[in-house]
């Protein structure tokens, strides 16, 4: 299955990556080879086989709904590229 | 005061004896190994991305004080160690060797490194790796490639890859820069570099080691593990990082079980399976010969060798390269320039634009490739045919192992399809993925597996053998590895 530049453009948008035209062509070629290789799985007989999400079979673990870590706001916002007034600062979202 | 040449290549166990016998102090061996890491001969390996002398010497001093008061914590107390860059280490850079996390200094510690810290281990620094653990050669690092010390020890010296993604960890231990190091293994990222560099590398059962504080690649596959100079060190250092953690929802209730009784096990009567599907037509003669040698070693130890079949082996690698990128696409969606790491300094037309421009400059090519593969296989119209199909194949592969483990105790197989390759050899992405062919199935099934050095290839580079055990049977795995290690008598070049 051959991926075109426009397919890469769509996937790049889903991935929140913006590629230039040359990059789209380059990845179209690379991803085509890889995706073609995935067709190999068609040879596996998976009728009636449940998907395996994880090697762990135990059920979701719950804990008491209790605050244990305390107020970490300033510690966490200190890691951010931009923070103000105890919030993460980002470009304007709404007009 | 020992020089670094005196103590490099002493195992953690030997260093512990030396500390107890007062041959040297933790501060002295820590300083010696920091000095070694900074010498041009070793710094050119680019094994460390950052040395942490202040943290190291403070912890070494604390260890010496404990020892002086007779309050030694155990075998790891005072032992210098290296930590792969994807483990969050409080106060020390943790970037998963990606530009997108440049400058990130975590305000918290991963559970695995905290356990080693609680045992008294002395962190020397953070180790190089492929960006976000995606790679098999440590050539995709934002901090530059790492080199294999065994290649530099050849005559003439060769620039050879250390393997990946934990290339820096493997190179550091193989160059005597630290006796043990943490690594992580998602599809072979401990076992393959261990084999390439001539050291022991072990990955536990999925769920033994907490993933809390590990910068995630693929959540159903990632596991912390260790590199060491010998099997005994690998076992004790791995045991020290295992344990149930309520902060990791995938942490197993069996994570606290000890496997140190491997020391009392005999191989007499142990049934060792040899998977026939791994004996590929394109297998180099030297890999086949090494495998046969390993079979002979285990027969000599009293084991019974049984040919077994893992019929769905050929589907493992494509299934992995659907599942792992899909999970990575989800895990790496958080890198958006908002909460940590870098933000592009261009101007933005929107929030989405900020995300895209940040991710463009922050991620390398291999990471972008895998994120896109992941989003493709998860996208509408393709989800069932690729992602769900791969998950069903995953269960077939896991069932294959469950079936054979009714009959045998462990499996013996090659770790890699060949020796470590030259740094300059051009390899396209698909060729690189084929490096993982023997390691990926055990990862998909969540099984414990290790690589133990067993010989050398035609160009003189190390080769390793892989042992795979049932879930929670690390004891069988280490006992088998000991039997190979003692008979193979592999020696590092000691660069």
């Amino acid at each position: 299955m051959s991926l075109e530049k426009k397919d890469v453009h769509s996937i790049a948008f889903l991935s929140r990556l913006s590629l230039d035209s040359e990059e789209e062509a380059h990845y179209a070629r690379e991803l085509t080879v890889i995706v073609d290789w995935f067709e190999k799985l068609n040879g596996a007989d998976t009728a009636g086989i449940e998907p395996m999400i994880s090697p762990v079979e135990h059920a979701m673990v719950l804990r008491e709904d209790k605050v244990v870590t305390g107020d970490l706001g300033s510690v966490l916002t200190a890691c951010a590229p931009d923070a103000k007034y105890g919030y993460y600062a980002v470009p304007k979202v709404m007009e | 005061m020992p020089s670094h040449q005196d103590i490099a290549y002493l195992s953690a166990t030997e260093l512990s004896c030396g500390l107890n016998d007062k041959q040297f102090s933790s501060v002295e061996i820590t300083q010696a190994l920091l000095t070694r890491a900074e010498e041009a001969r070793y710094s050119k390996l680019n094994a460390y991305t950052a040395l942490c002398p202040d943290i190291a010497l403070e912890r070494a001093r604390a260890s010496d004080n404990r020892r002086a008061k007779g309050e030694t914590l155990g075998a790891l107390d005072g032992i210098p160690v290296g930590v792969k860059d994807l483990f969050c280490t409080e106060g020390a850079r943790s970037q998963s060797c990606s530009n997108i996390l440049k400058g990130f200094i975590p305000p918290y510690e991963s559970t695995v490194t905290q356990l080693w810290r609680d045992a008294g281990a002395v962190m020397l620094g953070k180790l190089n790796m492929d960006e976000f653990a995606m790679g098999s050669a440590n050539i995709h690092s934002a901090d530059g490639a790492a080199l294999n010390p065994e290649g530099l020890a050849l005559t003439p010296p060769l620039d050879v890859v250390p393997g990946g993604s934990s290339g820096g960890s493997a190179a550091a231990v193989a160059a005597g820069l630290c006796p043990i190091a943490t690594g992580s293994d998602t599809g072979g990222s401990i076992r393959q570099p261990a084999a390439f560099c001539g050291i022991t590398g072990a990955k536990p059962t999925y769920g033994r080691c907490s993933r809390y504080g590990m910068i995630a690649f693929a959540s159903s596959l990632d596991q912390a593990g260790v590199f060491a100079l010998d099997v005994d060190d690998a076992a004790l250092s791995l045991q020290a990082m295992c344990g149930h953690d309520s902060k990791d929802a995938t942490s197993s209730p069996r994570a606290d079980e000890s496997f140190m009784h491997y020391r009392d096990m005999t191989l007499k009567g142990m049934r060792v399976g040899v998977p026939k599907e791994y004996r590929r037509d394109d297998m180099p003669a030297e890999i086949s010969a090494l495998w046969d040698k390993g079979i002979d070693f285990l027969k000599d130890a009293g084991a019974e060798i049984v040919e077994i079949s893992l019929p769905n082996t050929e589907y493992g690698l494509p299934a992995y390269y659907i599942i792992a990128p899909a999970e990575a696409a989800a895990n790496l969606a958080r890198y958006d320039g908002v909460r940590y790491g870098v933000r592009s300094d261009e101007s933005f037309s929107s929030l989405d634009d900020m995300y895209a421009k940040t991710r463009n400059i922050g991620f390398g090519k291999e990471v972008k490739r895998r994120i896109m593969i992941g989003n493709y296989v998860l996208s509408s119209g393709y989800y069932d045919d690729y992602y769900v199909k791969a998950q069903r194949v995953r269960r077939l592969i896991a069932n294959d192992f469950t079936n054979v483990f009714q009959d045998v105790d462990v499996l013996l197989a090659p770790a890699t399809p060949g020796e470590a390759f030259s740094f300059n050899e051009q390899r396209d992405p698909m060729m690189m993925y084929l490096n993982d062919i023997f390691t990926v199935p055990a990862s998909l099934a969540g099984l414990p597996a290790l690589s133990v050095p067993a010989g050398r290839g035609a160009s003189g580079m190390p080769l390793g053998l892989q042992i795979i055990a049932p879930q929670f049977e690390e004891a069988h795995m280490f006992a088998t590895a000991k039997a190979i290690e003692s008979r193979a008598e592999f020696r590092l070049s000691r660069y």
Side-chain angles (χ1 to χ4, degrees):
Chain A
M1 152 128 203
S2 189
L3 269 73
E4 315 266 336
K5 276 172 62 171
K6 63 174 171 62
D7 300 310
V8 175
H9 187 81
S10 304
I11 299 163
F13 175 70
L14 291 175
S15 309
R16 294 302 185 269
L17 295 168
S18 64
L19 308 174
D20 63 38
S21 184
E22 207 179 300
E23 284 172 317
E24 284 178 358
H26 169 78
Y27 282 116
R29 287 190 296 274
E30 281 189 345
L31 296 182
T32 296
V33 171
I34 294 167
V35 169
D36 276 348
W37 176 52
F38 292 159
E39 300 303 317
K40 215 172 147 60
L41 293 188
N42 293 335
D45 181 8
T46 53
I49 302 292
E50 278 299 297
M52 180 174 169
I53 315 290
S54 157
V56 160
E57 305 281 31
H58 66 251
M60 173 60 79
V61 178
L62 301 176
R63 66 172 178 88
E64 200 186 331
D65 184 11
K66 189 174 80 167
V67 171
V68 293
T69 48
D71 186 5
L72 294 173
S74 54
V75 167
L76 296 176
T77 52
C79 296
D82 197 3
K84 285 182 174 62
Y85 319 117
Y87 296 93
Y88 294 117
V90 297
K92 199 160 66 162
V93 177
M94 293 186 283
E95 287 305 314
Chain B
M1 173 85 183
S3 73
H4 66 79
Q5 289 92 338
D6 294 331
I7 55 141
Y9 302 107
L10 289 178
S11 71
T13 304
E14 287 166 330
L15 287 173
S16 188
C17 290
L19 288 167
N20 287 334
D21 293 343
K22 297 184 176 24
Q23 285 172 37
F24 36 66
S25 67
S26 179
V27 165
E28 286 173 342
I29 59 176
T30 296
Q31 188 57 71
L33 291 179
L34 286 168
T35 302
R36 184 179 179 87
E38 285 174 322
E39 274 190 13
R41 177 179 173 79
Y42 298 103
S43 64
K44 77 175 178 209
L45 294 168
N46 205 22
Y48 283 104
T49 55
L51 290 170
C52 308
D54 293 342
I55 289 175
L57 290 167
E58 183 195 323
R59 292 184 191 168
R61 275 191 291 274
S63 175
D64 286 336
N65 287 343
R66 282 191 296 273
R67 202 175 298 271
K69 289 192 271 184
E71 291 167 3
T72 307
L73 294 165
L76 290 190
D77 202 342
I79 303 299
V81 305
V83 173
K84 186 175 183 181
D85 199 39
L86 61 70
F87 290 91
C88 284
T89 45
E90 193 182 0
R93 76 157 259 175
S94 309
Q95 295 174 190
S96 216
C97 288
S98 178
N99 278 324
I100 211 160
L101 278 173
K102 203 169 170 131
F104 178 61
I105 298 180
Y108 75 111
E109 189 88 20
S110 76
T111 296
V112 157
T113 53
Q114 186 65 51
L115 285 169
W116 271 19
R117 230 174 123 172
D118 292 344
V122 172
M123 181 176 77
L124 294 174
K126 304 304 290 290
L127 294 165
N128 206 346
M129 54 182 281
D130 281 298
E131 185 184 1
F132 284 109
M134 298 181 197
S136 310
N138 209 147
I139 54 174
H140 297 302
S141 168
D143 292 274
L147 286 177
N148 190 327
E150 288 289 302
L152 294 178
L154 294 172
T155 310
L158 286 181
D159 284 351
V160 176
V161 302
S165 63
S166 315
S169 302
V173 173
L177 298 178
C178 52
I180 53 176
T182 71
S184 72
D185 191 310
T186 303
S189 291
I190 287 177
R191 291 162 283 160
Q192 186 251 32
F196 276 6
C197 291
I199 57 175
T200 300
K203 174 193 98 69
T205 306
Y206 183 88
R208 275 258 197 207
C209 287
S210 170
R211 290 181 303 105
Y212 179 78
M214 283 177 72
I215 296 171
F217 161 19
S219 306
S220 78
L221 294 157
D222 290 346
Q223 268 298 278
V226 301
F227 291 91
L229 291 165
D230 61 39
V231 172
D232 286 333
D233 264 13
L236 85 90
S237 59
L238 185 66
Q239 185 74 79
M241 62 161 64
C242 287
H244 183 259
D245 184 11
S246 57
K247 297 192 290 296
D248 174 0
T250 60
S251 180
S252 171
R254 295 185 62 183
D256 293 321
E257 289 175 16
S258 171
F259 43 80
M260 296 306 283
H261 57 279
Y262 81 92
R263 293 172 293 196
D264 305 320
M265 287 173 83
T266 172
L267 251 65
K268 284 192 175 40
M270 203 184 286
R271 288 170 66 79
V272 176
V274 173
K276 67 179 195 201
E277 290 82 3
Y278 284 37
R279 187 87 62 175
R280 296 167 55 87
D281 292 335
D282 57 1
M283 179 174 278
E286 63 189 18
I287 299 291
S288 197
L290 181 87
W291 196 4
D292 288 336
K293 204 165 67 142
I295 287 169
D296 288 342
F297 289 155
L298 295 180
K299 277 187 191 161
D300 179 66
E304 194 184 331
I305 308 297
V306 182
E307 190 189 70
I308 54 95
S309 175
L310 298 170
N312 293 287
T313 294
E314 66 179 297
Y315 305 118
L317 211 50
Y320 172 84
Y321 275 102
I322 288 172
I323 292 169
E327 295 185 1
N331 278 326
L332 271 62
R334 71 191 66 183
Y335 301 109
D336 54 14
V338 175
R339 287 161 293 173
Y340 27 64
V342 304
R343 181 185 295 184
S344 166
D345 55 14
E346 294 178 66
S347 59
F348 312 118
S349 58
S350 66
L351 207 48
D352 267 352
D353 191 42
M354 182 185 87
Y355 298 158
K357 287 189 164 112
T358 295
R359 289 159 71 81
N360 255 21
I361 57 150
F363 291 142
K365 283 204 174 72
E366 182 60 35
V367 168
K368 285 181 187 170
R369 195 165 19 245
R370 295 209 198 183
I371 289 173
M372 287 196 284
I373 293 169
N375 279 320
Y376 179 75
V377 301
L378 289 171
S379 63
S380 173
Y382 298 116
Y383 180 87
D384 286 321
D385 290 343
Y386 291 116
Y387 183 62
V388 178
K389 177 75 177 181
Q391 288 185 311
R392 294 187 208 275
V393 167
R394 183 175 187 175
R395 192 174 294 283
L396 288 180
I397 289 168
N399 288 348
D400 281 356
F401 282 109
T402 304
N403 291 339
V404 303
F405 283 135
Q406 310 280 356
D407 185 38
V408 299
D409 299 299
V410 292
L411 305 181
L412 179 73
T416 63
E419 291 174 294
F421 43 90
S422 159
F423 178 73
N424 295 316
E425 208 179 303
Q426 293 298 317
R427 286 181 170 225
D428 64 44
M430 273 294 321
M431 275 192 74
M432 291 298 287
Y433 297 164
L434 294 175
N435 268 300
D436 301 333
I437 196 155
F438 296 125
T439 49
V440 145
S443 301
L444 289 169
L447 301 175
L450 63 68
S451 176
V452 59
R456 288 185 182 272
S459 41
M461 292 301 292
L463 297 172
L465 283 172
Q466 183 183 199
I467 297 156
I468 304 168
Q471 287 193 342
F472 300 103
E473 290 299 336
E474 280 82 347
H476 279 91
M477 180 179 80
F478 283 116
T480 309
K482 280 285 283 183
I484 290 184
E485 178 185 66
S486 59
R487 287 163 180 79
E489 294 183 322
F490 176 87
R491 294 283 173 266
L492 272 174
S493 304
R494 299 194 166 196
Y495 174 65

